[in-house]
Amino acid sequence: MFQAFLIKYGEIGVKGKNRYVFEDALVARMKQVLYPVEGTFRITKEQGRIYVEAEGVFDYEETIAALQRVFGIVGICPVVLREDQGFEALSKDVMDYMHRMYEGVKKTFKVHTRRANKNYPLTSPEVNEELGGRILKEFPDLSVDVHKPDIMLHIELRSHHINIYSEVIPGPGGMPLGTNGRSMLLLSGGIDSPVAGYMVAKRGVYVDAVYFHAPPYTSERAKQKVVDLAGKVARYTGPIRLHVINFTDIQMYIYENAPHEELTIIMRRYMMRIAEAIAKETECLGLITGESIGQVASQTMSSLIATNEVCELPVYRPLIGFDKEEIVEVAKKIDTYETSIQPFEDCCTIFVAKHPVTKPNVNIIRKHERHMVEKLEELMKTALETDELIIVSQ
């Protein structure tokens, strides 16, 4: 029945003179996600509206699923597009639409007309009243409810055509990718970091990622798990440049030379240093982590101060006030949860202290790092030079 979709956006609509920039970014991302979908699609912009029109046979469900991964879209409306051939032709099209969608259904409805074409001979209330009366006569199982109808039938009288639709399929919202720069995600195999990457990307940020691999203590299966997670996030963010850093020598040196209770914090500080070095090299504007206050010892307020202290770039923590159940809910929505709970250890869980410090003093941490700096700088240089880059696509 449907060969077209009306795309509704949210925040873009208040961008004033720059709105076209955001619309163009939205259209570009829509073309990207629709490219592998069966069918040929044409995307057009017209007076604050974006339309996706399918030419010939296409996969309806796959098209909807693809558009639901495009940040910036708040609603996807399967729409009937018709040329304006007068009210009687409109009435016939509306009756045909209602027969196809709601034949024999006992529901309430309301007609809502938007008269963008001010030259249309009838006013919006007149169209509502006339079409509503005809629908009542044609469909005895339907009744009118102007306050909370089951069916909101939208009629848009535009300059060049008429839109008829009643279904609004929710999109992810947010801002179109690429409208807010690029950031570097510290991606582990856990539940939190993929969700953090998704949430920052939802604000229009391209995401790159860095994963700290520690062979032989972490296996190739653990690495593949992270690649798989990056692939699931990339369905929303577009291709992710995943940097795999061999962290074994750095981790072992810290393990052998640092106070045991400070292992996690000092390792974390060197992860942040390495991630920032890659971020600066690749023109990222910040780091992204999946930290949530108090979730583990390295995520207390004092611990976050200690890790932040080594960074010049801002660190974005979109999950900072979330509890675990809220994070899991998003992970399930974006289909990363089942992959994240696969039992392959990452480098953060291998060398964990038995009694990690929860209130680290930055001055003391610096003092304990001082005698290790020269060697760790050398090991960092080697780790960065042997960075394995994997391009992960959706």
Side-chain angles (χ1 to χ4, degrees), residues 91-109:
S91 177
K92 182 179 181 300
D93 289 334
V94 168
M95 296 308 139
D96 181 61
Y97 177 91
M98 296 298 290
H99 275 292
R100 289 171 179 263
M101 293 290 289
Y102 305 112
E103 184 75 53
V105 172
K106 289 184 178 292
K107 287 189 175 183
T108 60
F109 78 96

Side-chain angles (χ1 to χ4, degrees), residues 24 32 64 78 91 98 113-114 119 148 153 172 175 196-198 211 215 272 316 327 380 389:
D24 289 348
Q32 189 177 45
I64 295 291
S91 177
M98 296 298 290
T113 301
R114 181 175 180 179
N119 293 321
K148 293 183 178 179
L153 177 63
M175 298 294 289
Y198 164 86
Y211 163 60
M272 298 294 271
Y316 303 115
I327 299 169
M380 270 183 58
L389 178 62

